Amino acid sequence: MLVLGGIRSGKSQWAESVAQQLAGEGDRAPVRYVATGPVPEGDADWATRVEAHQVRRPAHWQTVETTDLTATLTAAPHVATLVDDIGGWLTATMDRRDAWAGHPVTGDVTALVDAVAAFRAPLVMVSPEVGLTVVPATAAGRRFADELGTVNQRLAAVCDRVVLVVAGQPVTVKEPT
């Protein structure tokens, strides 16, 4: 499942509740929470946002902080997983590949899409929906928005379900056929 939404749309909180349900076994179901974004030193606002996510998360969930999402999914494709979020993964990938200078990330995106397609346990991925914001004023911002739009489209194509969260309310975009 791909869960899209704008900033502060409630997408992460909604995805957390769905991941718990999909994992089964009631309120104590094990879920692997993959956090893809680091907390930069000196950014108190971002640290507060990350802390809000951590506090909300059930204590029995396993947290994995990594930007190597493809390897994480490939290593344990039978463990119910929540990824928050694809934008953080893409930023780290673009940094690693020097995509800000025009180098491609296509291979990394393809590897991620393949790992998602092969995943067998419940998988919920959270991603920002770039189509709901203003066009970034910088070349780097536009590059990120374009790349994220492409990643979201490719992930949506292999996901059984796609949901857009607006004001905390889920709107189904794609249902299983």
Side-chain angles (χ1 to χ4, degrees), residues 37-54:
V39 180
E41 288 189 37
D43 190 339
D45 178 59
W46 190 253
T48 300
R49 288 174 185 236
V50 169
E51 183 181 11
H53 284 241
Q54 292 168 338

Side-chain angles (χ1 to χ4, degrees), residues 21-138:
Q21 293 170 7
L22 292 176
E25 302 178 34
D27 292 343
R28 301 298 298 167
V31 173
R32 175 178 54 177
Y33 185 103
V34 180
T36 63
V39 180
E41 288 189 37
D43 190 339
D45 178 59
W46 190 253
T48 300
R49 288 174 185 236
V50 169
E51 183 181 11
H53 284 241
Q54 292 168 338
V55 168
R56 227 179 23 233
R57 204 174 306 148
H60 66 277
W61 284 15
Q62 174 197 14
T63 299
V64 177
E65 294 179 0
T66 184
T67 57
D68 195 352
L69 182 54
T70 301
T72 301
L73 294 177
T74 303
H78 300 291
V79 177
T81 300
L82 169 64
V83 175
D84 199 356
D85 78 9
I86 298 301
W89 169 82
L90 180 61
T91 299
T93 300
M94 291 180 74
D95 287 347
R96 187 174 64 253
R97 297 290 182 215
D98 196 23
W100 309 108
H103 295 99
V105 294
T106 309
D108 297 272
V109 172
T110 297
L112 175 61
V113 170
D114 290 347
V116 168
F119 205 79
R120 295 296 158 237
L123 174 61
V124 179
M125 297 173 292
V126 176
S127 188
E129 175 48 55
V130 296
L132 299 177
T133 62
V134 298
V135 176
T138 65

Side-chain angles (χ1 to χ4, degrees), residues 144-164:
F144 176 79
D146 290 347
E147 292 292 346
L148 185 58
T150 298
V151 171
N152 284 347
Q153 288 180 52
R154 292 194 58 198
L155 288 173
V158 298
C159 285
D160 296 326
R161 188 169 182 212
V162 179
V163 174
L164 175 65

